[in-house]
Each structure stands twice: as C-alpha cells, then as structure tokens.
Amino acid sequence: MKILTAAQTRALDQATIQEQGITSAQLMERAASAFVEWLSHQFDSNEAGEILLLCGPGNNGGDGLAAARLLHQAGYAVRVALLPAEKQSADWQHNRQQLPAAVPVAEMEAEKLPEIASGTLVVDALFGTGLSRPLEGLAAAVVRHLNKAQARVVAIDLPSGLFAEAPQPADSAVVRAQHTVSFGLPKLAFLLPQNADFVGAWHVEDIGLSKRFINETATPWHYTDAAAVAGALPPRPKFSHKGTFGHALLLAGSRGKMGAAVLAAGACLRGGVGLLTAHVPGCGYDIFQISQPEAMCLPDPQVAYLSKLPKLDAYQAVGIGPGLGQAEATYTVLRKLLKNAAKSTEKRPTPLPLVIDADALNLLGSHRALLKLLPENTILTPHPKEFERLTEPARDDYHRLELLRDFATAHRCLVVLKGAYTCLATPTGELHFNSTGNAGMATGGSGDVLTGVLLALRAHAQLPAFEAVRLSVYAHGRAGDLAAVHTGQAGLVAGDIVRHIGPALAEVQAQI
Ligand SMILES: NC(=O)C1=CN([C@@H]2O[C@H](COP(=O)(O)OP(=O)(O)OC[C@H]3O[C@@H](n4cnc5c(N)ncnc54)[C@H](O)[C@@H]3O)[C@@H](O)[C@H]2O)[C@@H](O)CC1
Ligand SMILES: [K+]
C-alpha cells in the first residue's frame, strides 16, 4: 500500500471527484459515513453518551459537521463546538446548513471553552491534512484544554495539530487521540514512534478513492500489508530436493551468547532453507549440535569467539552477527567475508548475498572503513541504536528516515531498521514500513530470529533480494502475532516466534 503526502492526498481527492463524476460534498459524505460507521461499531449510543464534536473551519471540520448529522440521525446524542474563523470551506458551509436544528451548536471563545467531563467521547475534527503551521491562539488553547480533560478522543483523519509527514516543534499543541480514523491510505505520521501518543490506534477506512491515481502516483513510502506479500513465496515444487532451497552459512555465537546462534539457526531452518551450516566458536559446538540437529556445524579453532572464515564456495547466502561478540579476530573474519563475498566467481557472477546483524553491525560501526566493502544488496538489520553507530544521532524520527534513506542509497544496500513498523530502506531510496508484529516481540532474541528468516529467504534462488527481505520482515512479525495468541505479549519469547514462522509463511503462500 502506498503512503502519500498531504498534497498528493488533495490531488487524489480531486482525481476521485473528476473520475467518478461526484461533487466534493459527496466525497465528504462518504468520508463522514465511513467515520460514523467505524464509530458506531466501536460505541453504541449508550456507551458513547453525549458526543462532543469539535469542528474547525476547513474540510476536516466539514467532515465533523457531516458526522454530527449522521450520528444524530442514527440516534446518538451529539453537540457541536465550532472554532471561529474568517472563512469556512464551501463543503463546511454545505454541511453546516444540513445540520438539523435539534443539534446544539456553540461557537468556542477563549473564555468559554466547551465543558468536557471526564470520559466524554470527543470527535476531533478541528484540522486535518490542510494544517499549514503549528496551532496557536484559540485553536492551541482548545487542543490543550481537550488534552487536559480525561476524555475519550477519536480524531478524524489526523489528530489536529499534527502534520501528515513532517515533525512539529516540541511544545506545539497536538491532540492526543485514543483512535485516529483516516481515509483511503495511512499517513507517514502514523508510523513514527514520536507520534504514538497523538495518533493512538489508527484505522484506515475505504472511501473508494481513485485506484488509477494511486497506481500512477510516485512515492518513496510504502506500507507492507498482507496484499503486498501475497504470493511472494513460490510454492515448493513436487520434485524439489534440499539443494533447491539453497545452502546457507551462519557465522554466530561467542561464549555466553550461543543462544543467539541457536535461535537464528532455528529460524533459518523454519524459514525453509535447504541446508544450513553454522560456524561457531569451539565452546558452542556441543550446544549447537544438540539444539539444532537439522543443521551442520563447523567449530572454530578458537574456543570463545570466531577467528576463521570458512570457504564460501558451497553457500548461496551468509548471515553474520547473532551473539558474535566484537573480538579483534572476529573483526578480521568480517572484513574477509565482505571482501570474498564481493568477488564474482564463475558459478556466481553477482556478490554472495549477506545478512549483517547485531555485533557484526557494531563492528561495522567501530570500523567504518568496512562500509566501502559492503557488496551490493547486502542486508543490514540495525535497531535504532545500532543504526546510530553506523551514521549519526538523529534529531527526530523524520530525520532518522532521511539518514536511513541516504545510507541505503549511498551503500547500495537493504537496511532493515527494526522497531514497531520496522522500516526497510532499499538501494533506490524506497522506504517500506512493515505492518505485522507486536510489542511482545520487544524481547531478547527476536532480532536473531529475523536474521535467520532473512538468511533462509536470501538463500532461496527464486526470490529477488528486495522480495526476500520484505517477505522476511513481514513473516517474522506475523509469526510473532500468531505466537502471541497463545503466549500473550508478556509471555512471548523468541523461540515462540521461531515455532510460528512455518505457519506465517504458509499463510502468505495461501494468499494469492
Ligand atoms: N478534499 C476532499 O475532498 C476531502 C477532504 N476530506 C477532509 O478534509 C481534510 C482536509 O481539508 P482542508 O484541506 O480543508 O484542511 P483542514 O480542514 O485540515 O484545514 C484547513 C483550514 O485550516 C486553516 N489552517 C491551516 N493551518 C492552520 C493553523 N495552524 N491555524 C489556524 N488555521 C489553520 C486553513 O487556512 C484552512 O482554512 C482532510 O483531512 C479530511 O478530513 C475528507 O472529507 C475526504 C474528502
Ligand atoms: K482532526
């Protein structure tokens, strides 16, 4: 699914109006109906009590006025508070006229802000995508007044005061909503941690916006939902054998961190790899062989950490990092791996696919000269702190996205920035936000599991690099969601994610 800017969203509205031969008021009616439908599923008229709709002067306020009428007609008790302005939009005026006289309407004043008792259901329709500057004066006072009340707040389209795709000054007034109900496509602002307290849970309602316009509009931002990965994993042919799905090499583990190697290996096997060999330090040999009998194991001559790079000829992908430690000898292994993977051979004209995670990323961060050696399409899987070690501290989440995009294009690699809505940056500068996963996955080892899935799907001959990464990130999150059904979020451990990778991939395969 694409994510568009506020300006593109306005153009999308216009294109829809022209293409479908409807008026802008009819499109607003669709938006308001979709909103009211959502609200009435969430709260019946008893649960809702008297709903207060705060309406601004533009089309967001117009949505609010139309919603007030529809809610009143559906039997809800509503009252409207208007934000005074010099002029209102045409569709606002239309919906103001349509509002039944039985609905109480008041104009807000600085000295007379609407009373908001604790628990009141408030619809925030002050400002949406038309916001042109941070709120000030009466509008800011209304927002602060609302945020102080212990209200249940549902925002239409965007929490008022929030920009759709840019940061706000730190102290600006922004509505803190429990829910945000938007139309057609999600907004970039919804996906960033710094906006979580404003946006709350967000929902996107279909209002029949022009599919042609969306298809034709270019954007760097995408949202990976089930439809994006449907059919991405080819079915396993009947006459396949273990060679068909690639032989992967995992370089992982050090004394005290063998669990990371075991988890990554388990995930790689559940990710459908044909064969897996793990190269582990001497101390990890027994641990690994006992816990992953399906994998082969090469012990390093060093007991506590990795010091040697095995021959790479037999492998279709290599993963390095989980539990690795940062010994000097291990740094040498990483440097050699980058150099050897980049060399083309007769059997392999393109670089050997690599997945770089955890301590291997920290080694890259502390030896940045290595970044020049990254073979094209290498996958890096930093969390924000690891990413900062590779680049610089980000001013905010928007700046971090810029750094991410610049890094992926400069080094021609695929960077998976881990978090809620994990963001995959491609060498061409696209950003793909993942839709699956839950807070239970914020637990030790879940990153190692992702590395294992990535390794399996990168070793798969039929999956291009981007497809393999997008699918891995999606399936990893989905496996966490399936696991949490049984364990709850607090009880979820990384091994539970491993056990649900198979079902998550099967689900993707079943969706065409
Ligand atoms: N255009 C369309 O056809 C549709 C628009 N929809 C709704 O319309 C919204 C966008 O409407 P608009 O473009 O009218 O924009 P808004 O309703 O977000 O606000 C624009 C108005 O607010 C003023 N304004 C902007 N920033 C301000 C500030 N900081 N302080 C005070 N006033 C400020 C502008 O001058 C303008 O009058 C969407 O978010 C959505 O809710 C939906 O009804 C779907 C259809
Ligand atoms: K709003």
Side-chain angles (χ1 to χ4, degrees):
M1 198 184 266
K2 285 182 180 175
I3 298 168
L4 304 184
T5 61
Q8 288 173 320
T9 304
R10 271 192 290 282
L12 169 61
D13 289 339
Q14 285 315 310
T16 305
I17 288 165
Q18 276 178 10
E19 187 181 292
Q20 300 176 11
I22 56 172
T23 62
S24 59
Q26 283 170 319
L27 187 60
M28 185 173 281
E29 192 71 14
R30 277 192 206 170
S33 308
F35 174 77
V36 166
E37 174 130 358
W38 180 91
L39 198 81
S40 52
H41 269 115
Q42 203 74 13
F43 310 96
D44 65 27
S45 54
N46 272 335
E47 287 163 328
E50 190 191 43
I51 305 174
L52 169 64
L53 294 103
L54 302 175
C55 299
N59 285 342
N60 194 253
D63 288 349
L65 288 167
R69 164 174 39 86
L70 295 170
L71 284 167
H72 170 76
Q73 285 166 355
Y76 287 81
V78 296
R79 66 188 161 114
V80 171
L82 299 175
L83 190 69
E86 271 171 25
K87 68 174 187 351
Q88 286 85 12
S89 72
D91 293 333
W92 184 100
Q93 289 173 4
H94 167 77
N95 279 297
R96 177 69 188 90
Q97 280 157 15
Q98 298 294 310
L99 195 65
V103 174
V105 180
E107 197 158 275
M108 292 187 273
E109 291 172 34
E111 284 75 41
K112 222 176 72 193
L113 294 177
E115 229 173 82
I116 309 177
S118 163
T120 305
L121 185 55
V122 178
V123 173
D124 160 31
L126 291 168
F127 299 97
T129 50
L131 188 78
S132 55
R133 58 195 185 281
L135 296 178
E136 53 192 27
L138 179 58
V142 171
V143 168
R144 295 209 163 97
H145 172 67
L146 172 60
N147 286 346
K148 261 195 233 137
Q150 305 278 310
R152 296 172 289 168
V153 181
V154 181
I156 299 187
D157 207 26
L158 261 179
S160 298
L162 191 68
F163 291 112
E165 65 263 345
Q168 344 289 125
D171 56 350
S172 55
V174 180
V175 165
R176 290 175 184 272
Q178 269 89 63
H179 294 275
T180 297
V181 181
S182 193
F183 308 116
L185 301 171
K187 296 182 166 56
L188 184 66
F190 298 173
L191 306 176
L192 303 181
Q194 72 188 53
N195 297 331
D197 288 347
F198 304 131
V199 175
W202 57 270
H203 318 271
V204 172
E205 297 299 307
D206 183 11
I207 57 166
L209 297 171
S210 168
K211 288 200 169 61
R212 182 192 53 79
F213 183 90
I214 294 170
N215 286 338
E216 288 171 3
T217 303
T219 173
W221 306 321
H222 302 263
Y223 187 62
T224 307
D225 55 4
V229 294
L233 187 64
R236 284 170 98 89
K238 191 168 181 120
F239 293 100
S240 44
H241 53 85
K242 63 189 180 213
T244 316
F245 302 103
H247 188 172
L249 172 68
L250 175 68
L251 304 171
S254 58
R255 193 195 293 284
K257 291 188 184 162
M258 280 308 297
V262 171
L263 285 165
C268 184
L269 291 162
R270 294 292 184 187
V273 76
L275 288 167
L276 172 64
T277 295
H279 179 62
V280 301
C283 68
Y285 184 69
D286 289 350
I287 298 168
F288 193 87
Q289 287 286 59
I290 293 165
S291 38
Q292 293 298 358
E294 295 89 350
M296 290 167 281
C297 191
L298 300 171
D300 194 276
Q302 275 294 345
V303 175
Y305 51 83
L306 290 185
S307 66
K308 290 268 177 298
L309 180 69
K311 277 184 139 225
L312 300 177
D313 306 345
Y315 307 110
Q316 280 72 55
V318 181
I320 181 166
L324 196 65
Q326 297 184 51
E328 192 58 27
T330 310
Y331 153 72
T332 316
V333 173
L334 175 62
R335 196 185 57 197
K336 250 195 201 159
L337 172 67
L338 298 182
K339 284 192 164 164
N340 292 357
K343 283 183 201 149
S344 57
T345 63
E346 214 172 290
K347 266 174 66 188
R348 182 177 47 72
T350 51
L352 179 60
L354 298 182
V355 183
I356 300 185
D357 182 32
D359 275 334
L361 292 171
N362 291 328
L363 284 169
L364 279 182
S366 51
H367 300 82
R368 288 204 192 174
L370 291 185
L371 293 175
K372 282 201 212 72
L373 301 179
L374 290 177
E376 194 167 353
N377 280 337
T378 291
I379 301 159
L380 290 89
T381 60
H383 54 58
K385 244 323 16 59
E386 287 164 344
F387 183 63
E388 187 179 308
R389 291 182 198 124
L390 295 171
T391 53
E392 59 183 273
R395 286 191 300 276
D396 57 40
D397 294 342
Y398 294 91
H399 183 221
R400 187 173 294 104
L401 291 184
E402 273 174 44
L403 294 173
L404 182 65
R405 204 176 161 185
D406 291 348
F407 186 94
T409 50
H411 299 287
R412 293 164 302 123
C413 57
L414 294 138
V415 188
V416 176
L417 182 67
K418 294 184 286 198
Y421 308 115
T422 287
C423 183
L424 159 61
T426 70
T428 54
E430 286 183 358
L431 297 177
H432 293 259
F433 295 86
N434 186 49
S435 62
T436 55
N438 61 79
M441 297 172 77
T443 181
S446 44
D448 306 320
V449 175
L450 175 62
T451 295
V453 183
L454 283 162
L455 183 57
L457 295 187
R458 259 323 253 140
H460 194 302
Q462 283 163 279
L463 283 173
F466 165 69
E467 252 66 76
V469 181
R470 184 170 63 166
L471 175 56
S472 298
V473 172
Y474 179 90
H476 173 254
R478 184 68 190 136
D481 291 342
L482 293 173
V485 172
H486 303 287
T487 63
Q489 292 193 2
L492 186 77
V493 296
D496 299 318
I497 309 173
V498 174
R499 283 184 281 281
H500 287 84
I501 289 164
L505 288 172
E507 236 185 50
V508 169
Q509 228 163 15
Q511 293 158 353
I512 306 290

